[in-house]
Structures are given as C-alpha cells and as structure tokens.
Amino acid sequence: MHKGLLKTWKTDKGFGFIKSDTLEHDTFIHISALKHMSRKPKVGDTIYFEVATQSDGKSKAVNCRIEGVAELKAPYQKHCNQPHRMAKSNFASSFLGKVASISIIAVLGFVAVNKYTHYQSNEQFNNHTPVITNADLATFDEQYPKVVIPKNTQNFTCDGRQYCTEMRSREEAVFFINNCPNTKMDGDGKPCENDSRFKTEW
C-alpha cells in the first residue's frame, strides 16, 4: 500500500495524479477508484492506494481511500457482480429444478389417482357381494339339490382297458361302457353278465 498527495484533479473529467515519495513517477487515479468515499477528492488530499498496470502498459491507482474521509457502505446489488455464465447456470438449475418438481408432483398425483381408483373398485365389489341370510339357507337345498355320485364309481377312470376280463366289478364294467371309448364289451345294458365273477351282482 502506497501513500501520496493528490497533486492534480480535474473534476469535469474525473481523474488526476498522485505524487508519492515511494514511486518514481506520478500515478494516475480515476474517480471510479474512489466511488466508495463519502466525498469527491480534492487537491492536497492524502491518498492511500495500490498500483496496477493497465492493458496499455501504464500504471493506475486502485483500492484507493482518502485519509480522514468516511467510506460509504456498499449498496446491496443483487446479481450485479455475478458473471453472465453464473446467471445462465442459475437459470438452468432453476429450470431443471422446476421440471423435476413438476415431474415428482405428476408421479405422486398418478399414484394417488391409481390408489383411489383401486379403492373405489374394491368398494364397488364389496357393495355388490351377495349376503346370504337365514331365509336363503332355508331354501338352499331346494334351489341347489345335492348330486350324489355313487361311491363305487368315484374312482373309476378310463385307462384303456376294453374287455370284461379286465374289469374288477360289474359297476366298473357299466362305467366303462357308458363313459370310455373303444370298449369291447356287449352293449345290451348288462355288460359282462356271463362273467362268473359278477353272477352275484346281477
């Protein structure tokens, strides 16, 4: 940090020169380097500053302050100092965030509608489920008579046997004549009546 006196100042153009004992040449100073001060500079002010080299090779004073003069608080500037690239990034991230939020809301809405539809269908099913009363039970046997299958035919199956000699009982022979194809027994209603094993069954 250098210290010097403001040697010249052109108010109409907003610049001047600082003379410092620590530098060989006078240093150019622009009003923009002092915009944070509570008043404009005037010749004879003591200036504290740093030196920066410009693109044309000339030096200028930066980070300046006037001795004994209060600094202004920097006003709140929203997004002023952010580069354009950052603004784009913020836009992209906020846009993607909105899209993601909308997608999540849509999925949750779809799941909720699905569950509600499923609940409604279950309610309709429950509302249409018949309820059997005592009166229904009293007339049940009349409406739905029992079908009794003889025990001796329950285990008979068509297994390819065709002749009386292969039958185990008269009932089995009757079952085969009535239900199984390609049997070789007489079809007069009394199959295997001449078989001595079944004489007592006729």
Side-chain angles (χ1 to χ4, degrees), residues 146-183:
K146 293 179 181 178
V147 177
V148 179
I149 301 173
K151 289 184 180 179
N152 55 2
T153 63
Q154 286 182 354
N155 296 326
F156 298 151
T157 57
C158 297
D159 55 11
R161 292 179 288 156
Q162 299 175 328
Y163 300 100
C164 284
T165 55
E166 300 172 314
M167 300 298 125
R168 296 185 197 93
S169 66
R170 181 186 66 80
E171 289 82 5
E172 188 176 49
V174 171
F175 174 83
F176 267 76
I177 283 287
N178 293 330
N179 299 292
C180 303
N182 303 321
T183 54

Side-chain angles (χ1 to χ4, degrees), residues 95-190:
F95 176 75
L96 291 176
K98 287 178 183 176
V99 170
S101 299
I102 291 170
S103 300
I104 290 170
I105 291 169
V107 168
L108 291 176
F110 177 75
V111 170
V113 168
N114 230 1
K115 286 195 175 285
Y116 179 73
T117 305
H118 182 68
Y119 171 77
Q120 287 293 98
S121 64
N122 282 346
E123 282 295 307
Q124 289 176 359
F125 175 77
N126 291 336
N127 291 339
H128 290 89
T129 303
V131 177
I132 298 175
T133 63
N134 288 336
D136 294 329
L137 292 174
T139 59
F140 186 82
D141 288 338
E142 296 174 10
Q143 293 177 4
Y144 306 100
K146 293 179 181 178
V147 177
V148 179
I149 301 173
K151 289 184 180 179
N152 55 2
T153 63
Q154 286 182 354
N155 296 326
F156 298 151
T157 57
C158 297
D159 55 11
R161 292 179 288 156
Q162 299 175 328
Y163 300 100
C164 284
T165 55
E166 300 172 314
M167 300 298 125
R168 296 185 197 93
S169 66
R170 181 186 66 80
E171 289 82 5
E172 188 176 49
V174 171
F175 174 83
F176 267 76
I177 283 287
N178 293 330
N179 299 292
C180 303
N182 303 321
T183 54
K184 305 292 184 185
M185 297 177 281
D186 54 350
D188 60 358
K190 293 182 179 181

